[in-house]
Amino acid sequence: MKISYAFAMATAMLSSVALASDNNNITIGLITKTDTNPFFLKMKEGAMLGATVHGVKLLTAAGKQDNDYASQIAAIQSMVAAGATTLLITPSDAKAIVPALDEVRAKGVQVIALDSPTDPISAVDALFATDNYKAGELIGQYALAAMPLRFSGQPLKIAMLDLSAGHLVGARRHNGFMKGLGLQAVGADSSELSTAPVILCSGYSEGAEQQGYEVMANCLKAHPDINLVYTVNEPAAAGAYKALLEASKEKNAMILSVDGGCAGVKNVREGKIAATAQQYPLTMAAMGVDAAVAYARHGKKVSGYVDTGVTLIADKPMPRLSSKDTQAGLNACFGAK
């Protein structure tokens, strides 16, 4: 029987009293993009669980929205001043926060990026993250298999609801989706958004429901016959579905997404989203806390990229494409793989 990470962490607490007493002086910082997206809330939960098990002090901060790097820079400085020896961060801007990270790393602080890489990637010691290109590729492959079954004979007419300009995570999901769909796309190291004649409209959702709704509503005004909708995450997908519903087009288009949060998986179960690629932010953060404690105790920094896994979630499986159903998705939503 599979044991959830949260259960395992709680069990570990029973045997961690002695260890915790040795770790009382360890301080770790977690800086997320926002405190509203369920993805980052689950990441915070994972870090808090890890901090409780290890008996360390956890400082947390977040931007006001996805691109609020100024708040992240302020948090970097204040957390290090407060004694943090490791920072776990989901960068709001891959380049803008690099000078602040360079400054604290020069002081011996370990920095681990969670979910989103910096630019350059070498601006942090390690990255614990989903393979976002693969996540996009999985839902693209699903669309390639499912579209002929649902819309037989109809040519592809695609709307792309992306994250933001120049964002590497968003670009990886976008380009992976195109590759999975059999369209020409740049590779995983590019922040360029590939395009194709079948993509009739696109826009930046900023990963938010309201912006996703606005992009989709505007798209439908110009192209009411859209039949395939890529969304960078499930809040954007929820907004896209709302726009389709208002236009009485919800049965005329298939929505694909990435995240695998509990609300998103429920939307797959209800047929609002055809399939999603599930990530595991709780695992990212819990692993980050483990690495932070190891560095504080033994002085050895973690390095390189750690793939924290991705799973295709769909209730209508496609031949030769590995997936799990929504019950499995709900059992693991934003938790351990």
Side-chain angles (χ1 to χ4, degrees), residues 227-311:
N227 57 16
L228 181 60
V229 182
Y230 157 84
T231 59
V232 70
N233 68 3
E234 290 155 1
Y241 182 81
K242 180 181 177 182
L244 286 163
L245 188 65
E246 285 187 359
S248 299
K249 300 286 186 182
E250 74 277 8
K251 295 182 180 178
N252 298 352
M254 179 183 293
I255 301 176
L256 284 304
S257 199
V258 177
D259 265 356
C262 298
V265 174
K266 288 176 182 176
N267 281 341
V268 174
R269 173 168 283 186
E270 293 170 6
K272 297 176 182 178
I273 301 173
T276 192
Q278 187 169 68
Q279 309 182 84
Y280 304 98
L282 187 146
T283 299
M284 296 175 197
M287 290 172 62
V289 171
D290 289 346
V293 172
Y295 174 57
R297 288 175 62 82
H298 308 297
K300 185 176 180 180
K301 292 183 178 180
V302 69
S303 63
Y305 167 60
V306 176
D307 184 350
T308 53
V310 62
T311 304

Side-chain angles (χ1 to χ4, degrees), residues 25-223:
N25 295 323
I26 297 174
T27 300
I28 301 165
L30 172 71
I31 305 169
T32 55
K33 292 180 183 177
T34 73
D35 243 349
T36 55
N37 188 317
F39 183 90
F40 300 119
L41 290 175
K42 183 59 72 170
M43 185 177 283
K44 184 176 179 180
E45 180 184 328
M48 292 173 66
L49 283 167
T52 300
V53 167
H54 287 291
V56 300
K57 182 178 181 180
L58 178 70
L59 307 175
T60 64
K64 297 178 179 66
Q65 61 273 334
D66 266 24
N67 60 357
D68 182 14
Y69 64 86
S71 293
Q72 291 198 320
I73 290 173
I76 290 168
Q77 296 166 343
S78 66
M79 287 180 178
V80 172
T85 53
T86 291
L87 297 179
L88 311 175
I89 185 167
T90 60
S92 287
D93 187 299
K95 293 182 179 180
I97 66 164
V98 168
L101 296 180
D102 287 343
E103 181 180 340
V104 298
R105 289 180 74 202
K107 297 176 181 179
V109 175
Q110 175 178 239
V111 180
I112 301 172
L114 304 179
D115 176 59
S116 304
T118 50
D119 184 6
I121 295 176
S122 58
V124 295
D125 295 291
L127 170 65
F128 294 175
T130 306
D131 182 339
N132 283 288
Y133 199 87
K134 181 180 178 182
E137 197 170 358
L138 286 174
I139 59 173
Q141 290 170 344
Y142 187 90
L144 180 65
M147 283 296 288
L149 300 177
R150 182 168 170 179
F151 303 112
S152 178
Q154 292 187 27
L156 287 177
K157 296 182 179 181
I158 305 173
M160 303 290 286
L161 276 62
D162 292 303
L163 186 54
S164 57
H167 200 293
L168 187 56
V169 168
R172 284 175 170 171
R173 294 182 186 182
H174 172 114
N175 294 322
F177 174 78
M178 290 185 63
K179 182 182 177 184
L181 196 54
L183 302 174
Q184 188 171 354
V186 297
D189 293 330
S190 176
S191 58
E192 173 190 346
L193 299 178
S194 299
T195 189
V198 292
I199 298 175
L200 302 187
C201 60
S202 61
Y204 297 127
S205 70
E206 301 294 341
E209 182 172 344
Q210 181 59 30
Q211 286 93 322
Y213 166 78
E214 291 169 1
V215 171
M216 192 71 234
N218 289 331
C219 181
L220 287 171
K221 290 177 184 177
H223 303 281

